[in-house]
Structure formats: C-alpha cells, structure tokens
Amino acid sequence: FRCRREDALGSSLDRFMPTRFRGAHRGHIERFGKTGVTSRRMGDVTTLWAVRLDSGEEFPIEASISQATENGHHYYTVILRDITARKHYEDELKQQQSELRKLSAQVLEAREEEKTRIARELHDELGQMLTALKMDLGWVRGRIGGSDGELAAKTNKMWETLDQTVTSVRRIAADLRPLMLDDLGLADAAAWLVEDFSKRSDLRCEFKIINDSDTSDFESNVANTVYRALQESLTNVGRHANAKNAWVLLRIDERAIRLEIEDDGRGISAEDMTKSHSLGLKGMRERVFHIGGVLEVTSAPRGGTRVSVFVPVRPPGAPS
C-alpha cells in the first residue's frame, strides 16, 4: 500500500480500497461476521483491487479473511497478496490467445478461399477438358464400331476410365468446396452432404431440417463454419464411431443456426478428445468460437456421440 506502519495503525480500512468498493466491503464483512464460518476467501473469482496511498494507483490483490470471537468481540484477520505481476502475465496470455485465435481464423478463411478457387478450376476448366475428351472418345468409338474387336475393347476400357476420372474430379471438387453452398445455400448443401456421406459410408443417415427463417442469405463465414462442422463430424463418425446409424438436425431461425450430429456408435471419451484424430474437431471448436458460437461434444442418448453446434446468424461485429 506504500503506507508507513505508524500511519496505518488505527485508521480505517476504507482508505486502502477504491471508493466504489467501500460500501460493498462493509456489507461483506458484516455478512461474514454473522455466518460463524471461521475463514473464507474474500470476493469470488473476480480480482479484488486496492489503492497505493502515495499515488492513488489501483493494483490487483487476492484476499482471504478469518474471524475469531473473544469476550464477545469479533476479531478479523485478513491476508492480502499483491498479484500485479501475475495479473500482468495473465493479461498478456489472454492477449496472445486472442491474437492466435484471430490468426487461426484468418488462416482458415484463406484456406477456404483457396479451396473455392481450386474447386472452381477443377469443376470448370478440368471438367470441361474431360467432357471434351469424352466427346472425342465417343466419336472414335462410333467410327470403330465392331470392325476391330481389340481396338473396340480398348476404347471401351478408356471410356470407363474416363467416366471414373470425371466422377473422381467431381467428388474432389465437392469435398474441397461444394459449389451448391454458394449457389443454393446452406440447407441444400447440408442435405447433399448427408446424402453423399450415407452413400459412400454405407451408413444409414437421417437428415431433418427445421427452417423458421425467412432468409437463407447468411454471411459466408457463418455458412462455411456450419458446413465444415457438419463435414468434420460426419467424417469422424465414418472413421471412428463404428456406428450403424447417424442423425443430423439442422435448425435455422432468425437469430441462430443450431446443428446436431448424433450416432449410435462406441461413443467418445475424454482420452479420445486428446488424441491426434480429434484435432479437426478442436479446430472446428475454435472456428465456431471465433464467430461467437459454441461447439460441444457429449454422449448421445443412443449410446454414441453427439456434436452440438450453436452459431449466431450475425456474428459479433457483423453489420446488422
């Protein structure tokens, strides 16, 4: 407190605390005196503040209080700790965490833009080339006919390979960035993703959408985040859950988007969340957090895992 001992003895405690806390402090002491509890920590998890008398500077403290009764009089002992240095380091750590979250979000946005560019090029440029190649091969097949059995068999094999290549390019482009997310919106893109996942994984997946909103025109980062959360969750179900069924619920209203993915697989433990394969889900939690949302992983009533996502339609700082 930067106060000499002889100046402190006999004076009021009020002089050592900011004016705005004095009334509350008196009430706190009175209530503590009536409880009969011998000791407790003062205040709650929030930081307490005191005043340096030589400058009026406020500084953070921790405090604990104990009481004893002797001849009908209450005696209180308060132990204080100046936590200025610790608070400084905590604030620095919070600032660094905030900066890392912003950097992570920027990296994810850059990746999303790059995925969109590559998906467009695969769909438009490579897709058109393969289509032209397929047309030319069709022309060759028509000219060959049945005149040369070996050559006809070879062109037929080429046709099948070309068909598989076109299918693979479309699948890769859709995995990178489903163009319908931009063209048709989140609801249709989510429905397509669930249907495609069910076909490819041979796992029965039920999709339900409840749309109480008049618009599907969300900010791109909102739609991207929800879609990627669904994609990551379904990928985890297919790889790790050993499930037979999955259920997806997408609820959209004027204020928020809620997404739930549930399966009847083996479930997820706290240890599983620390393994390397859970990094994708951890990244999604950070991504959802960045736009003001929440992602939770819990046990599902059916015995498997439930991933719940809540995202505001208008993220903090977005124009209304």
Side-chain angles (χ1 to χ4, degrees):
F1 297 100
R2 295 176 185 165
C3 175
R4 295 187 304 171
R5 178 177 182 274
E6 54 268 27
D7 291 337
L9 290 175
S11 62
S12 171
L13 288 176
D14 285 355
R15 64 188 298 209
F16 298 106
M17 65 185 68
T19 304
R20 64 185 183 279
F21 295 137
R22 291 174 184 175
H25 177 263
R26 296 190 196 103
H28 176 79
I29 296 298
E30 290 175 2
R31 288 190 297 272
F32 176 67
K34 295 175 181 178
T35 61
V37 178
T38 56
S39 63
R40 63 190 282 185
R41 181 175 175 178
M42 297 178 67
D44 50 23
V45 292
T46 58
T47 303
L48 301 174
W49 294 88
V51 174
R52 304 195 196 278
L53 298 189
D54 61 345
S55 63
E57 172 197 0
E58 292 188 11
F59 64 99
I61 61 170
E62 280 185 345
S64 60
I65 183 172
S66 59
Q67 63 175 322
T69 303
E70 182 70 23
N71 298 326
H73 296 283
H74 267 87
Y75 296 91
Y76 298 93
T77 301
V78 178
I79 300 175
L80 306 178
R81 177 181 290 115
D82 184 342
I83 59 169
T84 301
R86 192 182 78 190
K87 186 75 164 55
H88 172 73
Y89 293 133
E90 288 175 349
D91 291 343
E92 278 192 344
L93 181 59
K94 288 178 182 178
Q95 178 65 26
Q96 291 171 359
Q97 289 175 336
S98 176
E99 291 173 357
L100 284 173
R101 283 197 168 107
K102 290 179 182 178
L103 177 61
S104 175
Q106 290 172 355
V107 170
L108 287 171
E109 288 174 8
R111 286 181 58 192
E112 201 67 50
E113 291 174 1
E114 184 67 8
K115 284 182 178 181
T116 300
R117 185 186 66 79
I118 295 173
R120 287 285 181 190
E121 290 183 0
L122 284 173
H123 181 271
D124 296 340
E125 295 186 27
L126 186 57
Q128 289 177 7
M129 292 184 209
L130 289 172
T131 300
L133 185 60
K134 192 172 181 180
M135 292 173 65
D136 290 343
L137 184 59
W139 182 87
V140 172
R141 289 177 69 194
R143 293 298 185 275
I144 293 174
S147 59
D148 188 328
E150 184 178 356
L151 188 58
K154 187 66 173 178
T155 55
N156 287 337
K157 183 65 176 176
M158 292 171 62
W159 184 270
E160 292 176 3
T161 302
L162 193 55
D163 259 346
Q164 293 172 359
T165 304
V166 171
T167 301
S168 296
V169 168
R170 288 174 179 170
R171 177 181 56 79
I172 293 169
D175 286 343
L176 283 170
R177 171 76 179 187
L179 300 182
M180 66 177 63
L181 185 59
D182 299 317
D183 299 335
L184 301 178
L186 175 62
D188 289 326
W192 171 85
L193 179 62
V194 172
E195 181 180 359
D196 183 67
F197 168 77
S198 183
K199 290 177 181 178
R200 288 162 58 180
S201 65
D202 197 26
L203 186 150
R204 194 182 74 85
C205 195
E206 179 182 319
F207 178 70
K208 181 178 181 182
I209 181 170
I210 302 174
N211 195 343
D212 296 326
S213 175
D214 295 333
T215 179
S216 59
D217 185 21
F218 311 116
E219 289 193 18
S220 60
N221 61 339
V222 172
N224 290 343
T225 298
V226 175
Y227 183 87
R228 293 304 183 192
L230 174 59
Q231 188 178 47
E232 180 68 28
S233 299
L234 290 177
T235 299
N236 286 340
V237 171
R239 288 179 179 174
H240 310 296
N242 295 326
K244 295 181 179 179
N245 301 278
W247 297 265
V248 177
L249 171 64
L250 179 65
R251 182 188 296 269
I252 304 172
D253 59 38
E254 297 295 336
R255 297 185 307 105
I257 302 172
R258 295 170 176 83
L259 174 68
E260 288 188 1
I261 306 97
E262 185 177 326
D263 65 72
D264 60 356
R266 66 180 184 86
I268 189 168
S269 64
E271 291 77 14
D272 291 331
M273 288 296 293
T274 63
K275 294 180 180 177
S276 58
H277 71 249
S278 68
L279 290 177
L281 208 53
K282 292 175 182 176
M284 284 313 313
R285 180 181 280 116
E286 285 296 313
R287 189 169 181 175
V288 169
F289 177 83
H290 180 71
I291 60 172
V294 177
L295 185 148
E296 295 181 341
V297 181
T298 57
S299 298
R302 296 177 174 93
T305 302
R306 172 184 287 173
V307 178
S308 302
V309 180
F310 172 90
V311 175
V313 169
R314 296 177 183 84
S320 57

